[in-house]
Amino acid sequence: MTDIVDAGAPAGTEGKLIRALDWKGAFWVAAGVPPLVLFSIGGIAGTTGKLAFVVWIISMIMGFLQSFTYAEIAGMFGNKSGGASVYGATAWLRYSKFIAPLSVWCNWFAWSPVLSLGCAIAAGYILNAFFPIPAADSQAVLSWISAHATSITADSPRVAEYIAAHAGTSPDDAVKALLSADGVAAFTPAIRNWSLVSFNIPFLATANINATFFIGGILMLIIFAIQHRGISETASVQKWLAIIVLVPLLIIGVYPIVSGQILSANVTGLLPPTAAYAATDGTWSNGGWTLFLGGLYIAAWSTYGFETAVCYTRELKNPKTDTFKAIFYSGLACCIFFFLVPFAFQGVLGHAGMLAPGIVDGTGVAEALGGLIGAGRIVTQLLVILMILALFLAIMTAMAGSSRTLYQGSKDGWLPKYLDHVNENGAPTRAMWTDFAFNLFLLAIASDTSGYFFVLAVSNVGYIIFNFLNLNSGWIHRMDSGHVERPWKAPSWLIGLNTVLAFVNALFLGAGAKVWGYANALWIGFAFAALILPVFAYRHYVRDGGKFPVGAMDDLGLVGQDLGVRKAGILPYLALAGGLAIVLIANWFFQLPA
């Protein structure tokens, strides 16, 4: 199954991937991972309190260690694209045909939402730039409050409702709060509240077709147009975006530390909060541990993400040497950013400052970055542009990686046949259009103020499932395919440690999925993961007659439909049972603070 050509092949290359990258190109394509810290930095601070920066460090260390398993198995598949989920899935084929597509599917629906979430935040920045909501202390709002001071009285029903919702508030304070809210609303541009239609999706969330949705859709189309030109062009754009974005972000992360702005009180006395988004310290109770594990659960979605650097093995000029370099140096870069940025944010802003609405929803991060370096208005506006570019960087990485996962899944007979197509530039366009359509749906949910973390929490269920299956695939490949050449081989003790970490991640999944405001996030994630089972059954048993495409297992030295001997015996099944047991027990045992 040869569908690879060298870069610069003149003609007749339509439908084929092109070997146009070295490891540096793969590194640049994956450079959108460090900005992912900005997607959930406020949310993790809200759920874990002063422990937030520790959560990021622990999670990044785990991600870096786990990457060595991915690096080894990626080197075995010099003729496949799609990333670690594809390479690890082949280990499970001997034991169940249905587990392999589950791994690929879960990785895809975890990565793909970066498009919708990133575009939702970027749309928020654009709306804030052109149609800002006035501050409560702005002169216009204060003048409005003065002119309408008698419009709300202490015996108003609205005051009673406000006090009921905010226990302990005095009538006078309630009147002031309501007047302030009315004043802000009076000067809020109509487009900020406009919605074409809003509807509830049963058992999921509320979808909102509003200005954020339309702006986000346009941004996705722009990114699609860039990637339509192939991986080489994508890597070139990513390189310059990364330099423009990551260098200032690194400086901003270092500056508060070297200038002595870190307040020790903000990074000591490490305790979980009394409840999610509470500004007071709690204790290491069951509820406190649940919040902490919930932070580690969501952080994994960002910190583990640099494994996407091995999505492009099939497009590397020299996959034997470049695969390991790409993921290793991507991991080192992520360590720097995921260590420094959360620490600097928390050290300067403190726990209370991290709970600001703009930090939690991501649209105020640029202003916070400006505050870290004492920037004026002009520099802060430049940081807003920088944030939009950072989001573009992350979205470009997500579309490049997730579309190739779909493409290779189709090529190997796991996903629908129509995804098995690339254009004359070597871009998997049908997979990219599928990404686009799926993310328009997610964008409608993420455009609603309550939907952002719903999308994040549910998609991460898939990511942890993928992570569990792939970390276990390391030792399964060692047992079943030990004869296959590995350009780089991880120490055996590290393969063993990463297997243990697979079960630790299962603990995060069981305990943490419920933390993000959706008690059923775990079960919805499981249900979405299961959707691939009938899809694969149709592709494999109906469309392909129960046979995998010719050459699907060539990299393992297997011919035809021979899946090889199950040398690991019952062990993979015991691993699956153990992982599921940990998830279910953790979900039952760990409960949110009362």
Side-chain angles (χ1 to χ4, degrees), residues 107 461 510 518 566:
N107 177 268
V461 173
Y518 301 91
R566 299 179 181 179

Side-chain angles (χ1 to χ4, degrees), residues 369-390:
L369 288 173
L372 295 184
I373 58 175
R377 181 179 179 83
I378 294 177
V379 173
T380 299
Q381 291 302 312
L382 291 175
L383 288 173
V384 170
I385 297 173
L386 184 74
M387 272 299 301
I388 295 174
L389 293 177

Side-chain angles (χ1 to χ4, degrees), residues 54-400:
V54 178
V55 165
W56 286 108
I57 292 174
I58 293 174
S59 187
M60 188 62 243
I61 291 173
M62 289 180 62
F64 189 65
L65 292 172
Q66 291 164 181
S67 72
F68 290 99
T69 294
Y70 299 150
E72 176 177 317
I73 63 176
M76 298 168 61
F77 298 92
N79 295 311
K80 289 187 185 292
S81 66
S85 65
V86 172
Y87 316 141
T90 57
W92 289 95
L93 274 179
R94 291 178 171 91
Y95 302 92
S96 172
K97 288 184 177 181
F98 284 90
I99 296 177
L102 180 66
S103 173
V104 174
W105 172 257
C106 285
N107 177 268
W108 173 73
F109 89 75
W111 256 108
S112 186
V114 175
L115 278 69
S116 53
L117 297 178
C119 285
I121 298 176
Y125 273 111
I126 292 171
L127 287 169
N128 285 342
F130 292 98
F131 306 100
I133 296 175
D137 59 353
S138 66
Q139 188 56 51
V141 172
L142 293 177
S143 298
W144 188 96
I145 293 173
S146 178
H148 297 80
T150 60
S151 62
I152 301 177
T153 59
D155 58 356
S156 166
R158 289 183 64 196
V159 172
E161 292 173 3
Y162 186 92
I163 292 175
H166 302 80
T169 304
S170 68
D172 287 344
D173 288 339
V175 169
K176 292 178 181 177
L178 291 170
L179 282 171
S180 179
D182 289 350
V184 170
F187 292 95
T188 297
I191 194 173
R192 302 303 296 266
N193 297 315
W194 174 83
S195 175
L196 180 64
V197 63
S198 178
F199 54 92
N200 185 58
I201 303 174
F203 308 109
L204 292 179
T206 299
N208 199 346
I209 310 300
N210 56 13
T212 298
F213 174 85
F214 284 104
I215 295 172
I218 293 171
L219 295 177
M220 278 198 285
L221 283 173
I222 293 172
I223 291 166
F224 184 100
I226 295 172
Q227 300 213 0
H228 187 273
R229 302 180 65 181
I231 193 64
S232 181
E233 291 292 329
T234 299
S236 178
V237 173
Q238 284 284 90
K239 175 182 178 179
W240 293 110
L241 274 178
I243 292 172
I244 293 170
V245 169
L246 297 184
V247 172
L249 188 60
L250 177 61
I251 294 172
I252 292 171
V254 171
Y255 179 77
I257 298 174
V258 299
S259 62
Q261 295 185 53
I262 304 297
L263 300 179
S264 61
N266 292 340
V267 291
T268 55
L270 304 180
L271 292 169
T274 54
Y277 300 99
T280 53
D281 291 339
T283 62
W284 285 107
S285 61
N286 181 288
W289 275 104
T290 302
L291 294 174
F292 178 64
L293 295 173
L296 286 166
Y297 167 71
I298 285 294
W301 184 80
S302 300
T303 57
Y304 299 178
F306 67 94
E307 45 84 13
T308 192
V310 296
C311 274
Y312 318 101
T313 303
R314 204 173 204 166
E315 293 158 282
L316 291 172
K317 297 174 183 176
N318 189 353
K320 287 188 176 182
T321 59
D322 288 348
T323 300
F324 174 75
K325 290 179 181 178
I327 193 170
F328 179 73
Y329 288 110
S330 294
L332 286 180
C334 285
C335 284
I336 294 171
F337 285 95
F338 284 108
F339 286 2
L340 287 178
V341 174
F343 180 77
F345 258 74
Q346 185 173 325
V348 175
L349 299 178
H351 181 204
M354 296 289 284
L355 298 180
I359 303 294
V360 174
D361 67 19
T363 60
V365 172
E367 288 78 3
L369 288 173
L372 295 184
I373 58 175
R377 181 179 179 83
I378 294 177
V379 173
T380 299
Q381 291 302 312
L382 291 175
L383 288 173
V384 170
I385 297 173
L386 184 74
M387 272 299 301
I388 295 174
L389 293 177
L391 294 166
F392 259 73
L393 188 65
I395 297 164
M396 291 267 286
T397 293
M399 180 175 280

Side-chain angles (χ1 to χ4, degrees), residues 372-460:
L372 295 184
I373 58 175
R377 181 179 179 83
I378 294 177
V379 173
T380 299
Q381 291 302 312
L382 291 175
L383 288 173
V384 170
I385 297 173
L386 184 74
M387 272 299 301
I388 295 174
L389 293 177
L391 294 166
F392 259 73
L393 188 65
I395 297 164
M396 291 267 286
T397 293
M399 180 175 280
S402 61
S403 61
R404 281 158 178 79
T405 298
L406 289 179
Y407 165 82
Q408 190 64 50
S410 174
K411 202 76 179 172
D412 288 341
W414 300 331
L415 300 180
K417 178 68 176 174
Y418 83 93
L419 296 167
D420 177 9
H421 169 80
V422 295
N423 68 4
E424 67 279 5
N425 299 315
T429 46
R430 291 180 185 172
M432 289 162 60
W433 278 119
T434 301
D435 259 343
F436 177 79
F438 176 62
N439 276 278
L440 275 183
F441 168 72
L442 294 184
L443 185 59
I445 296 176
S447 295
D448 187 79
T449 53
S450 63
Y452 180 89
F453 280 108
F454 170 81
V455 173
L456 188 56
V458 171
S459 68
N460 202 42

